[in-house]
Amino acid sequence: MRTRWRSAAVAAAALGLAVSPVGAGAGAAYAWGAPAPARPAVTVPAPPPTPAAEEFPQLTPAVARELDAAIRKVMTEAKVPGVIVALSAPGKGTYVRAFGVADKSTGMPMSPGLNTRIGSETKTFTVTALLQLVDDGKVGLDDPIGKYVDGVPNGDRITLRELAGMRSGLFNYSADEDFGRAFLTDPRRPFTPQQLLAYSFKHPVLFEPNAKFDYSNTNLILLGLVVEKVTGQRLDDYINREVVAAAGLKHTLFPVGAEFPSPHAQGYTDQTLSGKTANATDWNPSWGWAAGAMISNLSDLRSWAKTVATGTLLKPATQAERLKVVPSLPGAGYGLGIFNVQGWIGHNGSLPGYQSLTVYLPGPQATLVVLLNTDTDYRGSAPSTLFGQAITKIVTPGHVFTLPAQPVTGH
């Protein structure tokens, strides 16, 4: 999810970590749904199982040409420098393409092997780590956050489940003007989790726990601290070993600071103090931490799409809890660090310079990954959403990935 805001002093930010079923960002007080029911979250009905042949076409040369044209059209309209796309389903073939440039100054082309920052897709890794601890009996989803972290507003009543499901009511630190100014004044500076929480906790809570949905990066910072307290390990160490390595991912990393393994594309953003486009490649993602700091590549995300959607690292009952989503928009809902948009399960990511989309459609076991080197919106829509929509209109017209454009929010 990503949120943008404008003020007289600061021309952008709430910075786009990410993703979401609402289509953009790090969520500045933009609640995507109607109030959640008082009873536990309900599941958005999955599409009825049908034969893969009826769900997904053969990726023939003709279909590939149609996809090529649709992707190039979005690139031109949204002024996207470069994009990488992978689409596949068992028995249907594989479509992998790279378009445009990875570096506008040199003209280096995009290629499928480039590393990228994945923004809020990090949430799927952090929540997986938490759910592994649930499976181990070390935490309970209905434990209050106050059991693990002191000083949280409503901490005696907000549960880990509500944090993972974006129903805590805690203010999103990345929507705070002081945070945005501090980050954009020096985007290479590091932030600690405690500094991030301080930006949130100076604001009153937005609503009572579980009253409604509101996408907030604050929730994931707290869950990262829970993982650290329970395991006695740094979050990056734990996720890199117990989630990334356990999933067999070879090019995925939870960085400590601004490190960014080569090769990678240059990332371009208009989230700057001046509003002019800047190169954000080496900006420090520590401000996203458990909510959005991670790095991956196309091959790993193609694998992770199925892992996270089917729960291969978790017990079936725990994965079932993860996939219970609160309906918020027609055909869309958010579970525990994961969304379901028209049947596509996964997450998107956005932070300055980069966007990503990694989703899985269970019926045909189809995987779609989109990676691009800009986070600049087009007519209020995240470009990753525009690519997802254009691609799924062709291959799964009954399951079109659609998230509405968001208005600019702010103070």
Side-chain angles (χ1 to χ4, degrees):
M1 240 189 210
R2 209 162 69 113
T3 305
R4 293 168 172 267
W5 53 271
R6 299 289 189 271
S7 71
V10 184
L15 312 186
L17 263 178
V19 314
S20 70
V22 258
Y30 182 96
W32 23 267
R39 61 181 181 274
V42 297
T43 303
V44 171
T50 55
E54 296 179 20
E55 287 273 348
F56 199 88
Q58 288 287 340
L59 294 174
T60 62
V63 172
R65 287 192 294 272
E66 191 175 358
L67 290 167
D68 288 349
I71 291 166
R72 289 195 175 101
K73 183 173 186 291
V74 173
M75 284 187 70
T76 299
E77 290 178 346
K79 296 180 173 58
V80 173
V83 62
I84 308 167
V85 176
L87 178 69
S88 62
K92 302 298 181 179
T94 298
Y95 172 92
V96 177
R97 292 283 196 278
F99 301 85
V101 297
D103 187 330
K104 294 195 290 186
S105 65
T106 67
M108 184 180 85
M110 287 290 270
S111 65
L114 297 178
N115 296 306
T116 190
R117 300 195 187 278
I118 62 172
S120 278
E121 289 199 44
T122 302
K123 293 176 172 69
T124 62
F125 290 87
T126 300
V127 173
T128 296
L130 177 77
L131 295 178
Q132 288 175 324
L133 296 177
V134 171
D135 279 347
D136 292 341
K138 295 179 179 177
V139 302
L141 279 173
D142 296 312
D143 290 347
I145 183 60
K147 179 178 177 180
Y148 305 97
V149 181
D150 294 332
V152 181
N154 281 346
D156 59 335
R157 296 189 291 128
I158 295 171
T159 66
L160 305 187
R161 184 192 302 274
E162 288 159 351
L163 292 169
M166 302 295 177
R167 301 191 301 278
S168 71
L170 294 172
F171 186 87
N172 185 7
Y173 69 85
S174 52
D176 176 79
E177 286 201 21
D178 291 335
F179 165 77
R181 188 175 295 106
F183 177 77
L184 293 180
T185 299
D186 181 10
R188 290 175 172 81
R189 64 167 286 185
F191 287 88
T192 66
Q194 291 72 25
Q195 288 171 328
L196 300 174
L197 293 178
Y199 287 113
S200 171
F201 294 170
K202 69 182 184 180
H203 295 270
V205 295
L206 303 177
F207 50 82
E208 289 298 297
N210 203 39
K212 58 184 177 181
F213 175 97
D214 185 79
Y215 191 90
S216 174
N217 291 315
T218 304
N219 298 330
L220 269 291
I221 302 304
L222 289 167
L223 293 181
L225 291 175
V226 171
V227 173
E228 289 197 331
K229 180 163 186 177
V230 172
T231 64
Q233 301 173 43
R234 289 171 52 106
L235 181 65
D236 55 287
D237 288 339
Y238 186 84
I239 286 181
N240 285 334
R241 185 181 65 256
E242 300 298 334
V243 181
V244 171
L249 307 181
K250 305 298 185 184
H251 304 282
T252 300
L253 171 70
F254 194 125
V256 176
E259 62 266 32
F260 196 170
S262 294
H264 57 256
Q266 302 297 296
Y268 302 95
T269 186
D270 65 349
Q271 293 200 68
T272 59
L273 287 172
S274 67
K276 296 180 180 179
T277 297
N279 187 320
T281 306
D282 297 320
W283 290 9
N284 194 324
S286 62
W287 70 271
W289 198 53
M294 288 182 68
I295 294 164
S296 191
N297 74 355
L298 189 73
S299 62
D300 273 11
L301 291 174
R302 291 180 66 193
S303 175
W304 181 244
K306 183 175 182 179
T307 296
V308 73
T310 61
T312 56
L313 295 181
L314 303 173
K315 294 179 180 178
T318 305
Q319 178 69 3
E321 292 298 308
R322 174 180 220 158
L323 296 182
K324 291 179 180 177
V325 300
V326 174
S328 9
L329 297 171
Y334 200 84
L336 303 182
I338 200 166
F339 63 51
N340 180 322
V341 177
Q342 299 294 340
W344 288 95
I345 298 170
H347 219 285
N348 57 349
S350 177
L351 80 174
Y354 301 91
Q355 287 196 347
S356 61
L357 175 65
T358 298
V359 288
Y360 180 83
L361 188 62
Q365 301 177 52
T367 298
L368 171 62
V369 179
V370 180
L371 307 174
L372 53 148
N373 61 340
T374 183
D375 67 311
T376 300
D377 286 352
Y378 176 68
R379 295 182 177 177
S381 291
S384 62
T385 295
L386 299 177
F387 285 114
Q389 183 178 44
I391 292 164
T392 55
K393 278 183 177 179
I394 294 169
V395 295
T396 55
H399 304 279
V400 176
F401 186 90
T402 304
L403 297 174
Q406 284 185 283
V408 171
T409 60
H411 305 280

